Amino acid sequence: MKFFIDSADVNEISEIASTGLIDGVTTNPSLIAKSGRNFIEVVKEICDIVDGPVSAEVIATDAETMIVEGNKLSKIADNVTIKVPLTWEGLKACKNLSVEGIMVNVTLCFNANQALLAAKAGATFISPFIGRLDDMGLDGMELIEEIRTIYDNYENLETEILAASIRSVNHVRQAALIGADVATVPGKVLKELAKHPLTDKGLDAFMKDWEGTGQSIL
Ligand code: E4P
């Protein structure tokens, strides 16, 4: 499973990417607004830090302007992936951009038929939003399961499932069990993936016992 970091905070991305555990980045207009910085500059800096796909989202709602914006954003760096919304216009833009060889991430996916259309439109990634479905009392993970089944039913559908709107370590575990290709995860949740109280307890005990030996490795 690939891990993307869901962030537009260059310092956070740089710190977490230094582990070598990050395969890409997703941004969105809300994350850019939160950063308080210039969109193009931020995307450029992120692309200098991370080699893998870096999603940058279009703002237009009509296909024609989305394509113009997508072409402009794709010139920032070779690893820019154009994010378009899962609307009829977004699908048209996806088809056009993907035919030009530009990676496209179709975002704001909330049902399996939408995911099927995105794959038909040549999307590199489909982003089902787990957390936002859970927020409505629905089961976001069920959607990942349905998309996995549909994509596996047809060899010609090569779109990768990018589990998005991840809010907890449990979301990551479940998405991995189902076989999502990628999870885009906030930095805080990524760090929590390494934690277990028994790991801390065990390490404390090892350190105490080691102290008693009076030895040192270096
Ligand atoms: C994904 O590409 C989105 O940026 C993100 O996962 C949205 O998450 P949220 O629902 O927590 O805002």
Side-chain angles (χ1 to χ4, degrees), residues 96-117:
N96 191 291
L97 293 165
S98 62
V99 163
E100 288 175 41
I102 294 171
M103 291 189 287
V104 183
N105 174 0
V106 180
T107 190
L108 292 167
C109 170
F110 293 98
N111 73 40
N113 284 331
Q114 290 183 315
L116 184 54
L117 283 171

Side-chain angles (χ1 to χ4, degrees), residues 7-217:
S7 174
D9 178 336
V10 174
N11 293 329
E12 178 186 48
I13 294 168
S14 179
E15 189 228 321
I16 294 183
S18 68
T19 61
L21 295 171
I22 297 303
D23 304 293
V25 178
T26 51
T27 68
N28 65 38
S30 305
L31 291 170
I32 295 293
K34 195 174 155 201
S35 79
R37 297 199 46 210
N38 176 275
F39 180 29
I40 308 276
E41 277 173 25
V42 169
V43 173
K44 200 174 178 348
E45 284 176 33
I46 297 173
C47 289
D48 286 341
I49 299 168
V50 177
D51 291 335
V54 174
S55 289
E57 189 158 340
V58 299
I59 297 305
T61 51
D62 65 289
E64 205 181 318
T65 319
M66 281 186 204
I67 293 163
V68 175
E69 289 181 349
N71 273 302
K72 177 174 177 181
L73 294 171
S74 74
K75 290 190 177 68
I76 297 174
D78 288 345
N79 52 335
V80 168
T81 301
I82 304 305
K83 228 180 185 189
V84 300
L86 214 159
T87 58
W88 199 248
E89 292 298 302
L91 290 169
K92 288 199 275 184
C94 174
K95 184 72 190 171
N96 191 291
L97 293 165
S98 62
V99 163
E100 288 175 41
I102 294 171
M103 291 189 287
V104 183
N105 174 0
V106 180
T107 190
L108 292 167
C109 170
F110 293 98
N111 73 40
N113 284 331
Q114 290 183 315
L116 184 54
L117 283 171
K120 295 279 290 175
T124 316
F125 301 104
I126 181 68
S127 290
F129 274 39
I130 300 169
R132 293 192 195 187
L133 283 168
D134 288 359
D135 289 347
M136 290 185 69
L138 299 167
D139 184 357
M141 221 40 80
E142 236 172 51
L143 175 57
I144 305 281
E145 240 159 12
E146 285 185 14
I147 301 173
R148 182 73 282 157
T149 303
I150 291 171
Y151 283 7
D152 288 350
N153 280 347
Y154 302 98
E155 262 179 34
N156 62 328
L157 301 182
E158 288 170 352
T159 301
E160 293 190 39
I161 302 173
L162 195 169
S165 187
I166 281 188
R167 308 271 171 78
S168 68
V169 291
N170 203 34
H171 276 157
V172 177
R173 184 179 65 89
Q174 287 179 291
L177 281 169
I178 293 165
D181 301 285
V182 191
T184 188
V185 187
K188 185 172 165 281
V189 178
L190 270 169
K191 286 187 174 174
E192 279 169 14
L193 291 174
K195 287 187 192 155
H196 195 287
L198 288 179
T199 305
D200 296 339
K201 198 176 163 202
L203 188 59
D204 275 353
F206 286 158
M207 291 304 103
K208 277 198 191 86
D209 290 344
W210 177 254
E211 233 173 76
T213 71
Q215 300 179 52
S216 76
I217 295 175

